[in-house]
Amino acid sequence: MHKDSAVGIHDLSFATGHYVLDHREIANHYSVDINKFHLGIGQEAMSVPAADEDIVTMAATAARPIIDRYGTADIRTVLLATETGVDQAKSAGLYVHSLLGLPSAARVLELKQACYAATAALQFAAALVSRDPSERVLVIATDIARYDAGSPGESTQGAAAAAMLVTAEPAILRLDRPSGLFAADIMDFWRPNYRSTAVVDGKTSIAAYLQAIEGAWKDYTERGGRPIDEFAAFCYHQPFTKMAHKAHRHLAEFSGAAAEPDDIHDAIHTSTLYNRVIGNSYTASLYLGLASLLDHRDDLAGKPIAMFSYGSGSVAEFFGGTVMPGYREHLRTAGHRAAIADRTPIDYAGYRSLHELSLPVDGGDHALVEEGRGPYRLAGLSGHKRIYQARSRR
Ligand code: CAA
């Protein structure tokens, strides 16, 4: 085993969309048995952003409580991971940097590799902090999962942002070494520049995910990682929560761990509670899983947990973290529950009109109707520029 560094996640906060679509609405619309969603894919509801919300407003909303608690000093790097980019050149992180009032002495950039990029950002942040422990790095994962209406992926949409402060004295989770890595050039899920919805081969994507966990686990063990039965819990990337179940069963069988239904439930259940009602949030999904795990278990202090990150295309990483003593005092459980509970229910027709909405591309001046109620909004477009605004604090 490598000597572990002390670097890790000091604070973790997430935000999600303004609306919530219950899967019963989708089941009714398509005359499908609701158990296909509740049992088959493990989803009950999905977040739907308002027309004046996007990855920037969700990212800034997720990070705001971290800045309010710890201030902006020594944040010299902002890494924003997304596969819902709003510009081919400018990093969405710069809008967030501005909305949060972060120091101008900063490097800010956007990372992309499907749902994996936030884990790359986290590891890059850890490396920067290891080199200079006085620095703190803001990592934000923010995405809106969109598939064509009527396609098999439609019921696995969702939206959220997870913000993390990475420091040398983490209050929540120390990142352990080694990491197990896996990369393969595969077309399981992708989104060409001219499309606003992803193209996906569902069954291939599930097989690719399972192949990636085998590859990453093999590399992890070859590099001296922990035996699987040392982990107190497992967090998986969750395109739909049943995928975490499939992944853990596959890993357990592959690695020789206990794989009875109760074993799988105990290993993953608490990490799936938020994702089950938020849906896929691509880069943020794994970190919503981490928030869910920590918010729902009070017995993890000092214990190692496993994390598995998968980004179609594909890149995957298996890594461990050790939960810090006293972690529960630093969590944002009430805020996370409120972000979920405060969403406004929307019916299938309302969701579809938002799904079909596209922003004008003519470069003219377009104000957006005020719809969401978060601290930040996309106020409009002008001269091909996105105009963001902070609302007066509630
Ligand atoms: N009661 C109980 N279970 C039911 C049921 C019912 N009435 N009806 C169906 N089911 C079960 C099925 O048996 C099936 O279970 P298994 O997977 O255990 O076999 C499950 O519900 C799903 O049913 P289908 O396979 O018929 O569903 P589908 O073909 O309509 O689509 C999907 C499923 C392929 C996951 C689709 O939602 C999809 O394409 N999603 C997007 C892609 C995706 O999320 N891929 C995951 C890996 S890629 C990744 O992780 C990156 C990422 O974020 C996208």
Side-chain angles (χ1 to χ4, degrees):
M1 181 81 59
H2 294 251
K3 187 175 181 310
D4 293 329
S5 69
V7 175
I9 300 171
H10 193 53
D11 198 0
L12 167 64
S13 160
F14 76 75
T16 187
H18 176 67
Y19 293 109
V20 57
L21 177 68
D22 192 297
H23 274 73
R24 282 174 294 207
E25 288 282 330
I26 309 177
N28 286 342
H29 180 80
Y30 290 108
S31 301
V32 171
D33 180 357
I34 187 64
N35 284 331
K36 172 167 181 181
F37 302 135
H38 286 177
L39 304 176
I41 60 169
Q43 290 303 133
E44 280 176 33
M46 64 170 77
S47 289
V48 178
D52 60 350
E53 289 179 321
D54 68 3
I55 56 154
V56 169
T57 64
M58 286 196 304
T61 303
R64 181 78 253 168
I66 296 180
I67 301 303
D68 287 347
R69 186 186 280 176
Y70 293 108
T72 60
D74 302 322
I75 299 181
R76 293 175 56 77
T77 304
V78 179
L79 302 175
L80 184 143
T82 189
E83 55 184 297
T84 319
V86 295
D87 194 289
Q88 293 283 26
K90 177 169 175 160
S91 164
L94 278 159
Y95 298 113
V96 179
H97 173 270
S98 162
L99 289 171
L100 296 175
L102 291 170
S104 58
R107 58 172 80 83
V108 181
L109 71 154
E110 184 172 313
L111 296 90
K112 179 182 70 185
Q113 174 28 55
C115 308
Y116 167 71
T119 300
L122 188 60
Q123 297 294 2
F124 297 165
L128 282 170
V129 173
S130 296
R131 196 170 73 161
D132 181 352
S134 71
E135 288 195 22
R136 305 184 299 162
V137 178
L138 185 61
V139 171
I140 309 177
T142 179
D143 268 307
I144 300 169
R146 289 185 91 241
Y147 299 92
D148 286 339
S151 73
E154 183 180 17
S155 56
T156 65
Q157 297 177 114
M164 294 173 273
L165 190 65
V166 177
T167 71
E169 289 179 355
I172 295 177
L173 187 76
R174 187 187 73 200
L175 294 171
D176 297 340
R177 290 180 290 158
S179 273
L181 302 174
F182 180 81
D185 180 5
I186 181 166
M187 299 304 280
D188 59 330
F189 164 107
W190 66 105
R191 183 166 70 82
N193 286 345
Y194 50 82
R195 286 183 62 104
S196 67
T197 51
V199 187
V200 62
D201 179 340
K203 303 296 174 199
T204 299
S205 71
I206 293 172
Y209 183 123
L210 297 178
Q211 186 197 3
I213 196 162
E214 269 186 46
W217 173 255
K218 193 164 171 291
D219 187 50
Y220 178 76
T221 53
E222 284 170 4
R223 294 175 68 83
R226 291 178 188 280
I228 193 156
D229 52 13
E230 282 190 11
F231 291 109
F234 292 76
C235 273
Y236 290 89
H237 167 57
Q238 296 169 41
F240 49 96
T241 67
K242 189 72 180 293
M243 190 67 225
H245 190 276
K246 288 176 190 289
H248 192 66
R249 186 177 57 204
H250 191 79
L251 177 62
E253 286 168 356
F254 181 72
S255 63
E260 294 302 319
D262 283 354
D263 302 316
I264 298 171
H265 180 273
D266 292 350
I268 63 160
H269 179 66
T270 41
S271 76
T272 63
L273 299 171
Y274 291 155
N275 299 65
R276 190 173 172 87
V277 293
I278 287 177
N280 197 355
S281 54
Y282 293 161
T283 51
S285 161
L286 173 63
Y287 299 95
L288 262 61
L290 175 63
S292 182
L293 171 69
L294 298 174
D295 283 348
H296 292 94
R297 279 190 56 177
D298 58 10
D299 61 338
L300 293 174
K303 295 191 181 157
I305 60 169
M307 309 274 289
F308 178 68
S309 182
Y310 175 75
S312 290
S314 70
V315 177
E317 181 162 343
F318 185 98
F319 60 107
T322 300
V323 180
M324 301 306 289
Y327 69 102
R328 296 219 27 118
E329 289 154 37
H330 303 273
L331 298 178
R332 299 184 175 278
T333 313
H336 293 159
R337 290 186 178 154
I340 291 170
D342 290 351
R343 293 173 299 174
T344 301
I346 193 170
D347 62 12
Y348 186 85
Y351 138 74
R352 269 299 278 274
S353 59
L354 280 168
H355 190 271
E356 272 144 39
L357 199 76
S358 57
L359 294 174
V361 294
D362 60 6
D365 295 338
H366 301 279
L368 294 178
V369 174
E370 195 154 346
E371 197 176 345
R373 57 172 172 266
Y376 302 101
R377 65 182 296 264
L378 177 61
L381 302 165
S382 177
H384 295 292
K385 296 174 197 149
R386 295 170 93 88
I387 315 293
Y388 291 100
Q389 275 177 359
R391 282 197 181 84
S392 48
R393 304 294 287 278
R394 284 179 296 169

